[in-house]
Amino acid sequence: EAGVTQFPSHSVIEKGQTVTLRCDPISGHDNLYWYRRVMGKEIKFLLHFVKESKQDESGMPNNRFLAERTGGTYSTLKVQPAELEDSGVYFCASSPSLVDSAFFGQGTRLTVV
Amino acid sequence: KQEVTQIPAALSVPEGENLVLNCSFTDSAIYNLQWFRQDPGKGLTSLLLIQSSQREQTSGRLNASLDKSSGRSTLYIAASQPGDSATYLCAVKRGTSGSRLTFGEGTQLTVNP
């Protein structure tokens, strides 16, 4: 069974550009989460999808971040325009239900220069 | 607001030593607590999950305990090996429904041959 897959694994962009991160959850997992770890800080929650609906987006830092989950399958996280402080590792996780343990992807390392 | 603290931030031990990693959380109203392992450039691997009603969980050389009333958890690693070198993360899921995970900053463990 394939795990949670994230694309790209690394991205280096200039300040002001747009970047789109993609997450393919484990098939059949209704719950999809985005987390972020910035340098020297703990991993922090960004948002939670149940199927295609945003269940909780209270962790999104500002309106430069837009997350979507088309048809309840894969998800994208767009940062537009990117700022230096957006640099970090973005993790995606999925789980079949709220009570189950979430499976994490390998993360996308974003560097904004 | 839930806060999770992990002590120590880094630990270096000789191979074969038994060791304890500590995790504390400020809000005892948790649904479960999970210990993860992260290897450099990799995603998070779930090691042990303890439900709020449980006191401990064991898997191989790993044992995790939970004292919800005092807001503490420990991860005990017996007979450490160089392959145990990684960052260990503690995360709690809040409330009764549970969605997001709140992470500590992690303990970076190095086991020297």
Side-chain angles (χ1 to χ4, degrees):
Chain A
E1 177 182 290
V4 177
T5 309
Q6 293 186 244
F7 304 97
S9 56
H10 294 84
S11 180
V12 180
I13 62 171
E14 292 184 351
K15 176 182 174 181
Q17 289 186 324
T18 298
V19 63
T20 301
L21 314 181
R22 174 170 167 146
C23 169
D24 286 78
I26 294 173
S27 177
H29 283 195
D30 287 342
N31 295 273
L32 187 149
Y33 306 85
W34 283 98
Y35 290 86
R36 175 176 77 167
R37 184 169 196 164
V38 297
M39 182 74 75
K41 300 285 190 179
E42 71 274 19
I43 297 172
K44 287 190 175 179
F45 168 84
L46 295 178
L47 87 160
H48 170 211
F49 283 100
V50 177
K51 296 185 180 179
E52 68 276 6
S53 300
K54 292 176 185 174
Q55 186 76 8
D56 180 358
E57 53 182 327
S58 60
M60 295 287 263
N62 52 60
N63 59 10
R64 295 185 294 102
F65 289 75
L66 175 63
E68 295 179 323
R69 189 178 183 191
T70 306
T73 55
Y74 71 91
S75 175
T76 58
L77 179 64
K78 180 189 287 187
V79 185
Q80 179 182 28
E83 298 289 345
L84 298 179
E85 63 264 25
D86 300 333
S87 296
V89 181
Y90 290 76
F91 291 101
C92 175
S94 71
S95 68
S97 74
L98 290 177
V99 301
D100 292 298
S101 176
F103 294 83
F104 280 76
Q106 292 189 327
T108 293
R109 181 173 294 277
L110 174 65
T111 303
V112 183
V113 297
Chain B
K1 178 188 171 186
Q2 180 72 274
E3 292 183 2
V4 179
T5 303
Q6 290 188 244
I7 294 173
L11 182 63
S12 181
V13 300
E15 182 178 3
E17 192 162 298
N18 302 324
L19 58 99
V20 175
L21 307 181
N22 297 290
C23 171
S24 62
F25 46 96
T26 54
D27 186 346
S28 61
I30 65 170
Y31 186 74
N32 61 41
L33 182 144
Q34 202 162 357
W35 283 92
F36 292 89
R37 167 186 174 139
Q38 184 180 19
D39 294 280
K42 301 289 181 64
L44 279 65
T45 301
S46 179
L47 298 173
L48 291 165
L49 185 149
I50 311 176
Q51 301 295 345
S52 62
S53 59
Q54 297 176 318
R55 299 285 289 184
E56 66 177 341
Q57 282 285 337
T58 298
S59 176
R61 295 182 293 107
L62 305 180
N63 176 275
S65 68
L66 174 64
D67 184 341
K68 203 172 73 163
S69 61
S70 68
R72 295 173 190 264
S73 175
T74 61
L75 179 66
Y76 175 83
I77 303 177
S80 59
Q81 303 170 357
D84 294 331
S85 299
T87 297
Y88 290 80
L89 297 158
C90 168
V92 298
K93 181 173 281 191
R94 67 177 181 181
T96 55
S97 62
S99 56
R100 68 170 71 182
L101 292 171
T102 301
F103 284 85
E105 291 191 21
T107 294
Q108 187 172 351
L109 173 66
T110 302
V111 181
N112 301 299

